[in-house]
């Protein structure tokens, strides 16, 4: 319906224009016609007046002539010869056809023409009229064929009377009608002018139309208009034989009962206008043709346009129906351009409900909105740029993370833009869910589940790019390899949940001291990597490494360990940090990682809790270490170990109480190697398990051998590494070694360090109590260096406390040393344990120890570690203190 209205606009407009055109043309013609008619009527009236005057004069002349002849005839009577007068030129032939006098009997008496052949004229109308009418004025007859002239003439007659006034005859002047119409000239009347003389009686006396004389008396007379002034009117064609309408003027004659008629052909009068009118008409016709063509073309074009719009809206509707049901948002955007044709904004021309819902508006409100109204600046310009690009390139497709300032309340969309006509068709799909899922998957692959830090896989993907960027910009990048110290112990002794908590805490703390551009990665276990990028100079790295070490060291309470009666445990994490710097210490991930690891290893070996930069020598050290490790392994297989023994004696009597087995490695090149050089290595690499088994068996075999050889064997104390307790079955190891070598459990003691007892591990408690039940004494080694509390010692029911050498060496040097030692002794005694002072090197120390009530001593003052055979000698000797006075 709307389309039809649109379509009919052109024809209607066109018809109006055509109407106006023709109306203008017609009214111009009408104006001209009216002007012509006015002129024609006026001229006709004027001319008829002139004609009337002319005829008046002519008739008056004839009248005077008749009076003159009458007069002559009254005086000269029959002697008057009109022939003579004619010869004198009194009756010009051009004016009068003839003049004659007729007697009372109708006989022609005299005349300008010979009338001998004519009999009586008494029967003529005029004769009868004059005979019976006394009127002596000139009578004007109607055209009649004259008997004398033999032509059509108009007879002007006058009554002649005798002396008594009786009818005496008639004076006749014949005038040819042509004489009366000679007034006609082409200049005034044109070719089809009208000239006529009509009597008041309505009968035509003379007349002509153009060149033609009226064929009297056949012509109809024109209806006369009454009045004594000149008038005019338009007589239509029916009045005239030539079927031409005429403007006709009528004027009564002054002295005769006649009306003079003059007229013009309407057609002739209008002919000067005809050309103009014709031109007008042609113009109007041409205009009409042009307009009609215009209507047709415009109609066709708009029909096409309408058809297209129709199709477009159909397509849009179909598309809308299709899209409305789908999950995609669909928008039609119209590009708005400025004068320079630059796209400056877009208008939402259409959208589906889904698409509108993305913006939180109903589609009825979204449609018609401008982008600039929807998007806040400056984000609007970002969006505009994107859309402009799509306009230029015709197509654009991508995924987009929606920033918070966008009116679209989704996280991620996938969009497709296609240029269509003057705008863009845009479809958008909500892929937030898929993206979230993707991110979760990515996280699962790239993130450490425990600490939520990026993992090794992430680092492997991230580092090459970072290295490339650092290389391009000429900047340095630092890799910090962080390994928590003694984490294994925490895990082993306090349980995995405590270990997990510690790792999370470490992760948080490390992260907190870094810049946003730096990363922490959890490599696995208690190993972290920090990537510092960029690095201006080494001092910055030092600063960061310091901060990391310090922040980790801060005490923290762990909630995961709940069993302890003292409440929450306080954990302080130390970490060893190794640093490798790109590009100096390596240009690829593997090298950088390896070198930072090496540096970390050395930091740890040098005493833990601090950092170390990588350098080539470290690498060399490591190589050496690895060599050592390999050699150690080989030596274990080849049983290249030997036990030395160091006695432990009563502090007062010097009597041998026990021998401590101290392992030595018979290295093929290096000779005898002390345990501090390989025990830590063995502990790190789990070689300690096999080495430990070897040592226990060596000791038991030695005991058996001494017994076989008849030595008075004292108990042998064997050092067992905490790792052996955590990893292996120490009870089974001892039980099987004792039985294999037929050794009494009472001859074996176990030295364990404090750190073993810090944990809550129940299985260790159980192992220890099983060993005691077996008859093995338990000694706490290196007491005072760890963190064990009194309550733990009490719970574990230990037999002997070996106070670390560090405290013994203080004795005699400071008062504090003694106070501390004294406290330990009284505490141990209160718990039912005896106390051994390790590292007693001087007599002075020995005497102080005796004073403090220390039960036993061990150290170089008594004896250095010795070989098995020397030990046998010592067993026999039994009292080992060098001072004579104390020997009983
Ligand atoms: P430890 O258990 O504290 O052993 C005592 C260490 O102190 C021995 O060193 C010994 O030679 C040394 N020593 C004894 N008296 C003195 C003294 O008066 N002054 C000084 N300066 N040192 C003294 P060694 O034999 O080198 O052993 C070192 C450490 O290696 C031991 O410390 C122990 O922890 C470990 N170790 C030794 N043998 C074994 C073993 O068979 N198994 C395990 N797991 N560890 C062992
Ligand atoms: Ca020991
Ligand atoms: Ca010790």
């Amino acid at each position: 319906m709307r389309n039809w209205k649109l379509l009919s606009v052109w024809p209607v407009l066109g018809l109006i224009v055509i109407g106006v055109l023709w109306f203008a043309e017609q009214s111009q013609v009408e104006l001209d016609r009216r002007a012509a008619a006015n002129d024609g009527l006026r001229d006709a009236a004027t001319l008829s007046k002139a004609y009337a005057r002319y005829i008046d004069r002519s008739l008056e002349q004839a009248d005077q002539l008749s009076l003159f002849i009458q007069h002559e005839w009254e005086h000269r009577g029959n002697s008057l010869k009109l022939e003579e007068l004619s010869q004198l030129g009194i009756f010009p032939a051009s004016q009068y056809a003839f003049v004659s006098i007729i007697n009372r009997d109708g006989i022609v008496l005299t005349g300008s023409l010979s009338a001998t052949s004519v009999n009586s004229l008494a029967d003529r109308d005029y004769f009868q009229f004059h005979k019976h009418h006394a009127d002596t004025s000139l009578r004007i007859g109607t055209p009649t064929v004259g008997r004398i002239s033999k032509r059509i003439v108009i007879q002007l007659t006058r009554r002649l009377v005798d002396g008594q006034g009786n009818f005496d005859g008639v004076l006749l002047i014949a005038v040819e009608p042509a004489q009366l119409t000679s007034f006609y000239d082409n200049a005034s009347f044109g070719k089809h002018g009208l000239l006529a003389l009509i009597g008041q009686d309505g009968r035509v006396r003379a007349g002509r139309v153009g060149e033609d004389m009226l064929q009297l008396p056949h012509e109809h007379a024109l209806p006369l208009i009454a009045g004594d002034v000149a008038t005019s009117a338009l007589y239509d064609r029916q009045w005239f034989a030539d079927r031409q309408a005429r403007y006709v003027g009528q004027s009564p004659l002054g002295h005769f009962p006649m009306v003079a008629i003059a007229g013009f052909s309407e057609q002739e009068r209008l002919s000067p206008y005809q050309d103009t009118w014709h031109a007008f008409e042609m113009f109007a016709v041409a205009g009409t043709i042009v307009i009609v063509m215009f209507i047709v073309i415009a109609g066709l074009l708009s029909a096409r346009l309408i058809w297209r719009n129709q199709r477009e809206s159909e397509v849009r509707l179909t598309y809308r129906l299709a899209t409305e049901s789908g999950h995609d948002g669909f928008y039609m955007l119209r590009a708005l351009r400025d004068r320079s044709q630059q796209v400056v904004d877009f208008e939402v021309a259409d959208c589906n409900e889904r698409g509108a819902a993305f913006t939180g508006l109903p589609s009825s409100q979204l449609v018609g909105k401008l982008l600039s109204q929807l998007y806040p600046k400056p984000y609007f310009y970002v969006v505009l740029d994107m859309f402009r690009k799509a306009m230029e390139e015709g197509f654009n497709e991508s995924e987009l993370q929606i920033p918070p300032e966008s009116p679209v309340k989704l996280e991620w969309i996938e969009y497709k833009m296609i240029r269509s006509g003057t705008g863009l068709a845009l479809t958008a799909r909500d892929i937030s869910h898929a993206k979230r899922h993707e991110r979760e998957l990515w996280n699962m692959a790239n993130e450490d589940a425990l600490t939520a830090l990026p993992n090794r896989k992430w680092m492997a993907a991230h580092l090459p790019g970072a290295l490339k960027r650092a290389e391009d910009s000429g900047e340095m990048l630092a890799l910090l390899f962080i390994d928590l110290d003694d984490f294994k112990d925490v895990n082993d002794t306090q349980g995995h949940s405590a270990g997990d908590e510690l790792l999370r805490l470490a992760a948080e703390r490390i992260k907190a001291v870094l810049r946003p551009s730096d990363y922490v990665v959890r490599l696995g276990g208690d190993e972290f990597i920090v990537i510092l990028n960029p690095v201006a100079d080494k001092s910055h790295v030092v600063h960061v490494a310091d901060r990391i070490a310090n922040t980790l060291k801060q005490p923290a309470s762990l909630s995961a360990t709940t069993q302890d009666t003292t409440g929450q445990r306080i954990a302080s994490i130390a970490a060893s940090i190794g640093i490798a710097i790109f590009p100096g210490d390596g240009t690829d991930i593997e090298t950088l990682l390896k070198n930072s690891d090496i540096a970390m290893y050395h930091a740890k070996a040098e005493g833990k809790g601090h950092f170390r930069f990588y350098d080539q020598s470290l690498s060399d050290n490591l190589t050496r270490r690895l060599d050592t490790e390999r050699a150690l392994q080989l030596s274990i297989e080849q049983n290249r170990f030997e036990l030395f023994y160091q006695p432990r004696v009563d502090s007062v009597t010097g009597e041998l109480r026990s021998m401590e087995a101290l392992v030595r490695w018979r290295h093929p090149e290096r000779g005898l190697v002390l345990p501090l050089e390989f025990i830590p290595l063995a502990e790190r690499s789990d070689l300690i398990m096999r080495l430990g088994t070897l040592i226990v068996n060596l000791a038991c075999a030695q005991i058996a051998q001494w017994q076989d050889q008849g030595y008075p064997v004292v108990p042998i104390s064997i050092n067992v590494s905490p790792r052996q307790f955590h990893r292996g079955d120490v009870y089974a190891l001892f039980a099987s070694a004792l039985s294999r070598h037929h050794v009494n459990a009472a001859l074996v003691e176990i030295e364990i360090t404090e750190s073993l007892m810090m944990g809550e591990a129940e299985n260790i408690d159980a192992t220890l109590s099983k060993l005691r039940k077996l008859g093995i004494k338990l000694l706490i080694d290196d007491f005072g260096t760890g963190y064990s509390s009194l309550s733990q010692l009490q719970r574990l029911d230990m037999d002997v406390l070996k106070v670390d050498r560090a405290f013994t060496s203080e004795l005699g040097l400071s008062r504090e040393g003694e106070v501390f030692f004294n406290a330990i002794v009284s505490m141990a005694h209160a718990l039912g344990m005896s106390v051994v002072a390790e590292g007693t090197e001087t007599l002075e120390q020995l005497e102080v120890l005796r004073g403090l009530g220390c039960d036993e001593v061990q150290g170089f003052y008594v004896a250095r570690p010795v070989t098995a055979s020397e030990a046998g000698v010592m067993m026999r000797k039994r009292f080992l203190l060098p001072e004579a006075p104390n020997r009983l």
Side-chain angles (χ1 to χ4, degrees), residues 660-662 717-719 751 781-782 802 838 858:
E660 179 178 5
L662 294 164
S717 66
I718 301 170
N719 293 285
E751 297 194 8
D781 205 356
D782 305 338
K802 295 184 77 177
E838 290 185 316
Q858 189 179 24

Side-chain angles (χ1 to χ4, degrees), residues 83-299:
E83 293 83 352
E84 291 165 13
L85 289 178
S86 176
Q87 278 161 8
L88 286 174
I90 288 174
F91 323 117
S94 59
Q95 235 173 317
Y96 308 111
F98 67 95
V99 181
S100 61
I101 295 175
I102 302 159
N103 70 8
R104 69 171 71 92
D105 303 316
I107 305 296
V108 176
L109 295 181
T110 178
S112 57
L113 291 177
S114 153
T116 44
S117 58
V118 178
N119 295 327
S120 173
L121 296 171
D123 58 334
R124 303 296 273 192
D125 284 352
Y126 56 83
F127 193 87
Q128 287 299 318
F129 178 85
H130 288 306
K131 192 175 176 180
H132 301 294
H133 288 84
D135 185 8
T136 56
S137 59
L138 195 66
R139 178 181 185 266
I140 301 163
T142 53
T144 315
V145 179
R147 286 188 192 151
I148 301 165
S149 63
K150 309 283 188 277
R151 286 183 282 170
I152 292 175
V153 290
I154 293 170
Q155 289 138 338
L156 309 175
T157 52
R158 185 180 279 276
R159 187 182 203 214
L160 294 175
V161 287
D162 58 14
Q164 287 75 44
N166 295 321
F167 175 70
D168 200 20
V170 171
L171 171 64
L172 169 69
I173 300 171
V175 178
E176 279 185 80
Q179 291 293 323
L180 294 177
T181 60
S182 63
F183 184 75
Y184 191 96
D185 71 300
N186 278 347
S188 314
F189 285 85
K191 278 187 185 152
H192 305 283
L194 167 70
L195 192 67
L197 191 62
I198 300 173
Q200 296 285 25
D201 52 13
R203 302 187 62 182
V204 177
R205 297 300 193 278
R208 69 186 266 183
V209 174
E211 294 299 319
D212 304 323
M213 293 304 295
L214 293 181
Q215 291 309 305
L216 297 172
H218 307 292
E219 298 288 337
H220 291 285
L222 286 170
L224 292 179
I225 302 158
D228 47 9
V229 289
T231 57
S232 56
L234 176 67
Y235 286 81
D236 67 23
R237 27 190 264 165
Q238 75 180 43
W239 294 102
F240 302 97
D242 61 1
R243 298 284 172 230
Q244 288 199 37
R246 284 183 171 81
Y247 304 111
V248 177
Q250 302 182 10
S251 274
L253 267 55
H255 305 97
F256 303 93
M258 292 280 166
V259 176
I261 300 226
F264 308 103
S265 154
E266 184 191 35
Q267 203 180 352
E268 210 171 338
R269 291 294 291 209
L270 293 182
S271 75
Y273 295 97
Q274 291 299 355
D275 282 351
T276 320
W277 289 349
H278 186 66
F280 280 171
E281 202 176 61
M282 288 319 287
F283 176 77
V285 166
T288 304
I289 289 170
V290 167
I291 290 164
V292 166
M293 271 162 63
F294 174 77
I295 291 171
V296 169
I297 290 170

Side-chain angles (χ1 to χ4, degrees), residues 2-3 306-320 350:
R2 212 179 117 255
N3 290 342
I306 286 166
W307 183 74
R308 264 204 207 155
N309 282 346
Q310 178 80 21
R311 283 252 324 217
E312 197 175 298
S313 62
E314 270 171 27
V315 166
R316 196 180 291 177
L317 194 71
T318 318
Y319 196 73
R320 175 89 80 86
D350 195 8

Side-chain angles (χ1 to χ4, degrees), residues 690-741:
R690 292 164 64 193
L691 186 59
T693 307
L694 188 75
I695 289 165
V696 172
N697 279 292
L698 273 176
C700 288
Q702 186 60 57
I703 294 168
Q705 194 186 335
W706 276 323
Q707 281 183 326
D708 289 349
Q709 292 168 354
Y711 286 99
V713 182
V714 292
I716 302 298
S717 66
I718 301 170
N719 293 285
V720 178
S721 154
R723 295 203 64 74
Q724 278 175 269
F725 276 94
H726 293 308
R727 295 293 161 102
D729 188 346
V730 177
Y731 174 79
L733 167 64
F734 274 83
S736 71
L738 289 174
S739 69
R740 181 181 315 148
H741 299 285

Side-chain angles (χ1 to χ4, degrees), residues 351-363:
C351 72
N352 66 357
E353 281 305 335
R354 174 89 175 147
F358 286 171
T359 64
L361 291 174
S363 65

